[in-house]
Amino acid sequence: MADTGESGEHVDDVEAVTRAVLTASRLLVAVSARSLAAVEDRVTLPQLRLLVMMSMHGPAKLVVLAERLGVNPSTAMRMLDRLIAAGLAERRTNPANRRETVLRLTHEGRVLVENVTGRRRREVETIVARMAPGRRAALIDALTAFGEAGGEPALPAADGAMYPLGWTDAPLPQGG
């Protein structure tokens, strides 16, 4: 569908929407980067991704975590060893099968994830609050449709719900 631009010429709406999404994407990446900067001295981005995944899915065996990350178990184990040494994750015996070990977040790891996601949420909320109410309503519709088109599940509407950083089940590049 074509639209008429400010100068009166027809603009391909797919191209115009793509440019607008990419511009918004730059802003969202900057917001995410600022929220991550607060913990960059403690964890790498791949390690934070693992912590977020663990916070969303709960305790799991190493092979399950590696599969969710899309990495080899040895890569996941190196990441987990660093997180365990930092006090952000721990190994526990599986109460359902005492021969298995599961990995889970420590309280400190959960707090770190909550701080990063909370910081990001507050900054996005500040930006959205600067928009006129009618524009916010249109943004809800547009972003909901965009998320659905991309196959992204909707987030719960509960107050205080954790907003994951995304990529909880998308594979990481090898070497994380």
Side-chain angles (χ1 to χ4, degrees):
M1 171 173 168
D3 197 5
T4 304
E6 287 180 30
S7 63
E9 80 277 3
H10 287 286
V11 178
D12 179 1
D13 70 341
V14 171
E15 177 60 27
V17 171
T18 299
R19 281 194 318 271
V21 169
L22 290 172
T23 299
S25 171
R26 277 197 323 264
L27 173 61
L28 292 171
V29 167
V31 167
S32 291
R34 286 190 293 270
S35 70
L36 296 172
V39 298
E40 70 184 354
D41 59 329
R42 297 204 60 202
V43 295
T44 64
L45 180 59
Q47 290 168 345
L48 179 63
R49 180 173 172 234
L50 177 55
L51 291 172
V52 169
M53 182 178 302
M54 292 170 74
S55 75
M56 299 300 292
H57 296 285
K61 296 188 308 183
L62 175 66
V63 294
V64 172
L65 291 172
E67 184 177 294
R68 287 179 181 156
L69 288 170
V71 299
N72 295 322
S74 61
T75 300
M77 191 72 248
R78 283 190 302 274
M79 290 170 55
L80 282 158
D81 284 342
R82 291 182 191 115
L83 294 172
I84 290 166
L88 301 172
E90 63 186 358
R91 290 178 184 88
R92 292 279 187 174
T93 302
N94 183 350
N97 180 349
R98 305 221 21 99
R99 291 180 288 165
E100 287 182 354
T101 300
V102 293
L103 299 136
R104 65 180 210 161
L105 288 182
T106 61
H107 174 73
E108 190 176 351
R110 186 163 304 285
V111 167
L112 184 139
V113 170
E114 289 170 358
N115 286 343
V116 170
T117 57
R119 182 182 309 264
R120 183 185 65 141
R121 184 188 190 291
R122 287 186 300 275
E123 190 168 346
V124 168
E125 190 173 69
T126 298
I127 294 166
V128 170
R130 293 182 195 139
M131 296 174 64
R135 296 252 178 174
R136 290 194 300 255
L139 187 60
I140 291 168
D141 291 341
L143 290 178
T144 299
F146 183 75
E148 289 170 356
E152 187 66 23
L155 292 173
D159 289 334
M162 185 168 64
Y163 291 84
L165 298 175
W167 37 248
T168 56
D169 289 324
L172 268 178
Q174 290 292 321

